[in-house]
Amino acid sequence: MTLSLLFLICGLGLGMLVSTIAQTQLQAVQFAFLIMLPSVLLSGFMFPRSQMPLPIYLFTFIIPVTYFLEILRGIVLRGAGITDLLPYVTGLSLCCVVILAVSLKRFQKQLT
């Protein structure tokens, strides 16, 4: 549950980032699709990441869904503990911090 909360905070940060970039509702929807489509296709949910070309494989490490899927697979399929999931938790935490930092910085610029 705690790791799901971390992923949820990351998703809310992405939503806040989209809202600071977009000027209209239509732009916000388009930016959301621009984020969601690569997240689903490149996270390992649809296609195995190990079979992707190297540049795309390296790009998958900046997608938060990648880490959350690995966490879910570890818990549901293997019954993994927190020590087994530590690399993925660290990656998801790092993505969350970066996304929230960029979102808050952009949000502050809009206020002033």
Side-chain angles (χ1 to χ4, degrees):
M1 294 286 287
T2 304
L3 298 176
S4 296
L5 182 64
L6 182 64
F7 179 68
L8 183 65
I9 291 170
C10 193
L12 290 173
L14 279 172
M16 192 165 60
L17 182 63
V18 166
S19 70
T20 60
I21 294 172
Q23 296 175 355
T24 65
Q25 184 178 4
L26 181 62
Q27 285 181 350
V29 170
Q30 290 173 341
F31 279 126
F33 275 118
L34 189 66
I35 291 171
M36 287 180 4
L37 193 59
S39 293
V40 171
L41 292 175
L42 300 178
S43 65
F45 180 71
M46 300 283 287
F47 309 106
R49 289 177 43 228
S50 60
Q51 301 300 315
M52 294 180 186
L54 184 62
I56 295 174
Y57 177 76
L58 295 175
F59 179 75
T60 63
F61 286 106
I62 64 169
I63 300 173
V65 181
T66 302
Y67 300 106
F68 189 62
L69 279 175
E70 292 298 329
I71 290 169
L72 287 178
R73 286 180 183 144
I75 292 171
V76 174
L77 297 178
R78 298 188 318 257
I82 192 69
T83 55
D84 298 328
L85 301 173
L86 200 56
Y88 307 115
V89 173
T90 305
L92 184 59
S93 300
L94 186 64
C95 283
C96 189
V97 167
V98 168
I99 289 170
L100 282 176
V102 170
S103 299
L104 288 174
K105 186 160 180 67
R106 288 196 51 85
F107 185 71
Q108 287 176 349
K109 283 185 180 179
Q110 273 193 338
L111 287 178
T112 56

